[in-house]
């Protein structure tokens, strides 16, 4: 039994469930391997995922997750945790925290905000109240070499960004139907859905089912920076539909009609759900200038209503990971007030417009 204690043998019975596992039987990795610190107006945020594998046949339950933030001198900056205490345990903010036998599950990093001087994070995962597994994460600050303009001239609502609650962030590539299509990363980790507004802040007038009732439908979409067209599709109908199995051969099929521009190696802008035939003048290999029209807003692909899906990513294959995007010379509207931004990023709920 002494050797068992040495290897963290734990036999616990909670709520009638028996667990018998060792730390060696829990495998934890994270993606991306070097997460990006995205700088927002008043904070720095980390957007990455943990992949946790239970290699035993026993049940594991995550009962505590702690993180320590360290500076470049390895000095502690902050310390935070989620645990199983209380009548409403905070660990329950992690939707899946139990592994029944041999299994693998993705969880989204719940500690998104970091102190700007953070150079290292040390996570301690506690399972079944006794088994501890540590994971070191070494993030990097992101530098965008090109200046991006917003891809629309109109006043727009950031209908959904990539904050903690956004569906773009919560893309589970460990979900079996997604894995079977070939995906193994989150290509839309830093994506945006942009919706055009009128002067009254409305998105449409009349019945929302009619595409033409939306103020953004058929509005021009602009290239955010100079580059070269590396992928274009313009023949899909504006019927809010796409062939799911086709994603296995074309991971961009999700977006119906789309344009992808290469700005430099490993930096590509992607514009999705474009209007049928609106990019018909474009061909792969075309050189594009910042602000050039490359299409119009439509409802092709996986689109519930007329909007522009925009993202920066590091490739166009199934292994793609998203990248942050910082925009220049735009305004943020806050009721009757307006704030001009020379360079920054935007988030869910913002109302913005190019200057």
């Amino acid at each position: 039994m002494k050797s068992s204690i040495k290897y963290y043998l734990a036999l616990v019975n909670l709520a009638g469930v028996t667990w018998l596992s060792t730390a060696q039987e829990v495998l934890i990795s994270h993606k991306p391997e070097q997460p990006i610190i995205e700088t927002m107006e008043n904070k720095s945020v980390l957007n990455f995922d943990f992949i946790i594998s239970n290699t035993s046949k026993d049940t594991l339950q995550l009962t505590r997750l702690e993180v320590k933030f360290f500076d470049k001198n390895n000095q502690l900056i902050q310390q935070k945790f989620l645990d199983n205490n209380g009548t409403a345990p905070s660990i329950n903010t992690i939707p899946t925290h139990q592994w029944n036998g041999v299994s693998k599950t993705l969880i989204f990093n719940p500690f998104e905000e970091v102190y700007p001087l953070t150079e290292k994070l040390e996570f301690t995962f506690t399972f079944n109240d006794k088994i501890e597994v540590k994971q070191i994460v070494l993030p990097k600050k992101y530098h965008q070499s090109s200046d991006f303009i917003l891809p629309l001239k109109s006043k727009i609502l950031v209908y959904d960004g990539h904050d903690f609650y956004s569906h773009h962030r919560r893309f589970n590539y460990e979900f079996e139907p997604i894995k079977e299509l070939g995906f193994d990363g989150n290509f839309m980790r830093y994506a945006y859905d942009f919706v055009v507004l009128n002067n009254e802040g409305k998105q449409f007038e009349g019945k929302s089912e009619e595409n033409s009732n939306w103020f953004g439908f058929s509005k021009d979409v602009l290239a955010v920076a100079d580059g070269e067209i590396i992928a274009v599709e313009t023949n899909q109908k504006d019927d809010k539909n796409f062939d799911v199995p086709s994603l296995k051969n074309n991971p961009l099929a999700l977006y119906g009609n789309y344009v992808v521009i290469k700005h430099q190696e490993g930096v590509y802008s992607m514009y999705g759900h474009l209007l049928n035939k609106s990019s018909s003048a474009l061909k792969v290999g075309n050189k594009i200038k910042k602000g050039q029209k490359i299409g119009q807003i439509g409802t092709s692909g996986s689109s519930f209503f007329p909007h522009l899906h925009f993202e920066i990513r590091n490739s166009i294959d199934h292994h793609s990971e998203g990248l942050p995007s910082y925009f220049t010379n735009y305004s943020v509207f806050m009721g009757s007030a307006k704030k001009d931004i020379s360079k920054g990023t935007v988030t869910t709920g913002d109302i913005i417009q190019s200057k």
Side-chain angles (χ1 to χ4, degrees), residues 304-341:
F304 296 131
F305 53 85
H307 72 281
L308 173 67
H309 177 97
F310 173 82
E311 67 192 31
I312 301 295
R313 40 160 68 206
N314 63 11
S315 75
I316 59 171
D317 59 24
H318 289 87
H319 314 299
S320 177
E321 267 291 342
L323 297 171
S325 46
Y326 299 101
F327 303 103
T328 58
N329 300 320
Y330 65 94
S331 299
V332 179
F333 295 86
M334 297 159 286
S336 57
K338 184 180 76 167
K339 182 177 182 180
D340 293 332
I341 306 295

Side-chain angles (χ1 to χ4, degrees), residues 189-256:
R189 190 178 296 280
Y190 294 96
Y192 294 103
D193 287 337
F194 292 134
V195 178
V196 173
L197 302 177
N198 72 353
N199 290 332
E200 298 175 348
K202 295 181 179 180
Q203 302 172 34
F204 61 89
E205 200 155 58
K207 294 183 178 180
S208 62
E209 293 82 7
E210 295 293 330
N211 288 337
S212 58
N213 287 343
W214 288 75
F215 300 113
F217 188 68
S218 78
K219 289 290 187 186
D220 290 349
V221 175
L222 312 176
V224 298
D226 295 352
E228 177 183 339
I229 300 288
I230 64 162
V232 60
E233 171 61 58
T234 194
N235 293 316
Q236 302 303 309
K237 296 179 181 179
D238 291 285
D239 58 4
K240 308 171 187 176
N241 202 1
F242 77 107
D243 179 32
V244 175
S246 68
L247 289 170
K248 197 161 190 175
N249 296 317
N250 178 14
L252 299 178
L254 177 71
Y255 301 120

Side-chain angles (χ1 to χ4, degrees), residues 75-258:
Q75 296 297 304
L76 183 66
I77 301 173
Q78 286 181 319
Q79 184 172 328
K80 301 177 182 181
F81 70 91
L82 298 171
D83 70 5
N84 220 17
N85 274 327
T87 55
S90 58
I91 200 72
N92 288 344
T93 59
I94 299 175
T96 301
H97 51 277
Q98 183 165 307
W99 291 256
N100 297 318
V102 177
S103 55
K104 182 190 289 188
T105 300
L106 180 149
I107 66 171
F108 307 102
N109 166 43
F111 304 104
E112 70 162 358
E113 190 168 352
V114 300
Y115 195 77
L117 296 178
T118 299
E119 296 282 337
K120 182 181 81 171
L121 297 91
E122 180 184 277
F123 289 83
T124 301
F125 294 79
T126 304
F127 298 90
N128 306 351
D129 290 327
K130 292 195 176 180
I131 303 168
E132 289 191 355
V133 182
K134 294 188 183 296
Q135 179 80 358
I136 300 297
V137 175
L138 302 174
K140 64 177 179 180
K141 288 185 173 65
Y142 183 71
H143 172 70
Q144 181 178 290
S145 58
S146 301
D147 283 340
F148 292 164
I149 61 170
L150 287 170
L152 297 165
K153 279 289 186 185
S154 308
K155 182 179 286 189
I156 52 181
L157 167 69
V158 184
Y159 179 83
D160 205 6
H162 51 265
D163 60 286
F164 188 73
Y165 303 104
S166 168
H167 80 279
H168 295 133
R169 174 174 178 174
R170 295 178 176 273
F171 179 71
N172 187 350
Y173 42 86
E174 285 297 320
F175 182 49
E176 198 56 39
I178 299 296
K179 288 182 70 174
E180 289 176 356
L181 293 169
F183 294 102
D184 63 4
N186 188 352
F187 50 89
M188 55 183 173
R189 190 178 296 280
Y190 294 96
Y192 294 103
D193 287 337
F194 292 134
V195 178
V196 173
L197 302 177
N198 72 353
N199 290 332
E200 298 175 348
K202 295 181 179 180
Q203 302 172 34
F204 61 89
E205 200 155 58
K207 294 183 178 180
S208 62
E209 293 82 7
E210 295 293 330
N211 288 337
S212 58
N213 287 343
W214 288 75
F215 300 113
F217 188 68
S218 78
K219 289 290 187 186
D220 290 349
V221 175
L222 312 176
V224 298
D226 295 352
E228 177 183 339
I229 300 288
I230 64 162
V232 60
E233 171 61 58
T234 194
N235 293 316
Q236 302 303 309
K237 296 179 181 179
D238 291 285
D239 58 4
K240 308 171 187 176
N241 202 1
F242 77 107
D243 179 32
V244 175
S246 68
L247 289 170
K248 197 161 190 175
N249 296 317
N250 178 14
L252 299 178
L254 177 71
Y255 301 120
N257 298 313
Y258 54 81

